[in-house]
Amino acid sequence: MIIRLLRQLLTFSSAIIFCQGIALSQGRTVSLTYRTDGNLYPGTERNLQVYIPQQYSGTQACLYIGLDGIMCNAPAVFDRLIAEGKMPVTIGIFVQPGLIRGKDGQVVRYNRSNEFDFTDGRFAEFLDSEIIPFVENSTGVRISKDPDKRAIFGLSSGGIAAFNAAWMRPDLFRRVFSGVGTFVSMRGGNDLQMFVRKSEPKPLRIFLQDGSNDVWNATFGHWYEANRMLATALDFAGYDAGYDWSDGYHSVKRSAEIFEQVMVWLWRDYPEPVRAGITQNDFLNKYLYQDQEKTPFEDLSVCGKDQWIKEKDIDASAAEKYGNRYAATYPDGSFMALETDLSHDSQEGNCLWQAVISNGQPAYQQRFYWLHSYGNQTGAKGPMAFDSKGNLFILTDTGIQVCDQNGRVRFILEIPDEVKTALLKERKLGLRQLNIKIAEEKILLSDGQTFTYSRKFNIMPPIKGQTPKSQGQG
């Protein structure tokens, strides 16, 4: 075992040397240091290197984010591929993880795992709101905001960070290369394959690489098995995904060997946009229309271009409540779903409760509906509603989660970016100030005062007094 571990460590070290070996680049590379007191990773400092290709003319360029600094002789590879027309003119930003130093200059916190392994949207937001503007201001380059013009690569914890940045923010990144990614039980990475299976397909092009001997730390799991599980989930969900499986270890060597080919694969057909595929999640497919499944993500959620409708034009009744908690009554009135149990007024955990209605009052309450959340957080829960099939739609910060009659989340609908921006940010509204309503062939989201967003689905509202067809015990 000791020999095997030494072999892995030596392989990893030598691979980094090989991958980062000096190669002459025709482009220009600028070194920067970034320190922040922002809200995302306050107190951190990090080194950056920026690659500016010889062909850069000052117009908005494509973007490549490389985590843990320059790897795989990326600048030299980019020189060659850009010159050959196999990838567009691309600015490379190579980002080291953050450090926090004490008064004596010694490192008191290494922030790599916190930034890279955490399964939430902070790191993607950090790249977009802090790193990219800093690079533009420091170097004078201009970077496109079009997510189809952005790629990201990382290795190990950087591999999951690259995937997660695009997964959480497909409006920022759509081309991903993950080498020996840490999709294990370190900070929730083992749950990502579940989210892939249950979520609407996103317009992402993803390449995974790993070796069958990759068990970097068995305490957290088996890296290779975790990557293969994510791969089968991507295939199930219809993603444009590529894979390279070898007998390697937890090493950057194989990523370096195939780096150039993967870049060509990621940028193939450019400038054609990356499109979302068609999932095999039949529970979800029964609600989607075929023409919606084939459209880009930014149009997927738009029911016509006039998606914002004045409240007076629709029936936007207030969400059902029981006391101070959100609730929804089953179509036949036999039971109700509750945000919390009857002894609590505040949100509690990531489950919803169910209570049987007996003599007009809720009774026999149980924790029943199991909801999902990112980043080991207690998810924000908003209003909920049943449809005609007895499935429960609940608005959360993860998306609209849809539970079957037995309380299991079967699929997660994206909250469109324009809704997130307009309702949750610009208008300073939280989920608890929104309303969700199921109408004929529509799901409506409303702030209750000004705007309502509607999206077309193969869905029908419940008929009061009618019992939906039973789904059995499952």
Side-chain angles (χ1 to χ4, degrees), residues 62 88 146-150 174-175 203-205 240 264-276 294 296 298:
C62 293
D146 184 346
D148 277 303
K149 296 182 178 181
R150 293 180 170 192
R174 294 196 176 169
R175 303 172 195 268
L204 303 177
R205 182 171 292 169
D240 182 2
V264 173
W265 183 84
L266 284 179
W267 290 105
R268 76 185 193 279
D269 301 329
Y270 178 84
E272 286 294 315
V274 178
R275 299 188 182 275
K294 297 176 182 178
E298 62 265 24

Side-chain angles (χ1 to χ4, degrees), residues 11-19 71-72 155 180 209 244 246 248-259:
T11 303
F12 184 71
S13 300
S14 61
I16 289 179
I17 294 171
F18 167 77
C19 190
M71 290 191 180
C72 307
L155 190 84
V180 296
Q209 175 274 317
D244 181 89
S246 66
Y249 294 83
H250 198 72
S251 164
V252 74
K253 181 179 179 180
R254 182 59 183 166
S255 287
E257 292 172 347
I258 65 174
F259 184 78

Side-chain angles (χ1 to χ4, degrees), residues 47-248:
N47 294 325
L48 311 173
Q49 289 178 292
V50 183
Y51 161 80
I52 306 171
Q54 189 179 47
Q55 295 87 346
Y56 178 65
S57 62
T59 59
Q60 286 192 348
C62 293
L63 172 67
Y64 168 92
I65 295 285
L67 303 180
D68 286 315
I70 294 178
M71 290 191 180
C72 307
N73 283 330
V77 171
F78 294 166
D79 281 344
R80 185 161 54 253
L81 295 182
I82 293 171
E84 294 174 357
K86 294 181 179 179
M87 68 179 286
V89 174
T90 301
I91 302 296
I93 302 178
F94 303 92
V95 184
Q96 294 286 1
L99 303 171
I100 294 182
R101 300 183 185 275
K103 294 181 180 179
D104 59 358
Q106 296 297 311
V107 176
V108 296
R109 181 193 298 166
Y110 291 97
N111 221 41
R112 183 174 185 266
S113 181
N114 184 39
E115 294 173 6
F116 288 2
D117 293 315
F118 223 111
T119 52
D120 61 11
R122 285 181 301 162
F123 188 67
E125 183 179 350
F126 175 70
L127 292 174
D128 182 58
S129 64
E130 296 193 41
I131 294 297
I132 294 173
F134 172 74
V135 168
E136 289 181 313
N137 292 334
S138 300
T139 64
V141 300
R142 298 174 61 204
I143 294 170
S144 174
K145 296 184 181 298
D146 184 346
D148 277 303
K149 296 182 178 181
R150 293 180 170 192
I152 185 167
F153 164 74
L155 190 84
S156 187
S157 291
I160 188 175
F163 175 89
N164 198 54
W167 178 257
M168 298 298 294
R169 296 295 302 273
D171 61 317
L172 299 180
F173 300 98
R174 294 196 176 169
R175 303 172 195 268
V176 180
F177 180 15
S178 170
V180 296
T182 303
F183 300 105
V184 296
S185 58
M186 190 173 288
R187 290 179 184 260
N190 53 308
D191 282 338
L192 287 175
Q193 58 92 18
M194 174 274 296
F195 280 107
V196 170
R197 289 179 179 274
K198 293 188 178 184
S199 298
E200 285 188 82
K202 305 181 184 187
L204 303 177
R205 182 171 292 169
I206 301 163
F207 196 96
L208 304 180
Q209 175 274 317
D210 206 354
S212 57
N213 291 301
D214 183 7
V215 193
W216 179 74
N217 188 320
T219 299
F220 298 113
H222 195 297
W223 265 244
Y224 177 71
E225 291 179 355
N227 274 269
R228 293 301 296 258
M229 288 181 68
L230 179 58
T232 58
L234 290 169
D235 289 341
F236 171 82
Y239 280 84
D240 182 2
Y243 314 109
D244 181 89
W245 311 123
S246 66
D247 61 356

Side-chain angles (χ1 to χ4, degrees), residues 307-309 311 314 316 444-447 450-454:
Q307 69 269 34
W308 295 107
I309 308 171
E311 183 190 12
I314 58 99
L444 306 173
L445 294 180
S446 172
D447 69 1
T450 308
F451 294 121
T452 293
Y453 176 87
S454 66

Side-chain angles (χ1 to χ4, degrees), residues 304-372:
K305 292 300 180 184
D306 298 321
Q307 69 269 34
W308 295 107
I309 308 171
K310 293 295 183 182
E311 183 190 12
K312 62 183 177 61
D313 296 327
I314 58 99
D315 176 15
S317 57
E320 182 180 350
K321 287 193 174 184
Y322 191 88
N324 293 323
R325 60 187 65 76
Y326 280 113
T329 302
Y330 204 61
D332 64 4
S334 59
F335 63 83
M336 63 193 310
L338 296 162
E339 181 183 358
T340 67
D341 73 345
L342 297 178
S343 63
H344 293 81
D345 285 333
S346 60
Q347 294 194 11
E348 180 189 63
N350 287 321
C351 290
L352 304 177
W353 291 70
Q354 187 188 90
V356 174
I357 298 177
S358 176
N359 296 322
Q361 297 296 320
Y364 311 122
Q365 59 179 337
Q366 295 182 26
R367 189 172 293 175
F368 191 79
Y369 297 94
W370 175 290
L371 302 179
H372 299 303

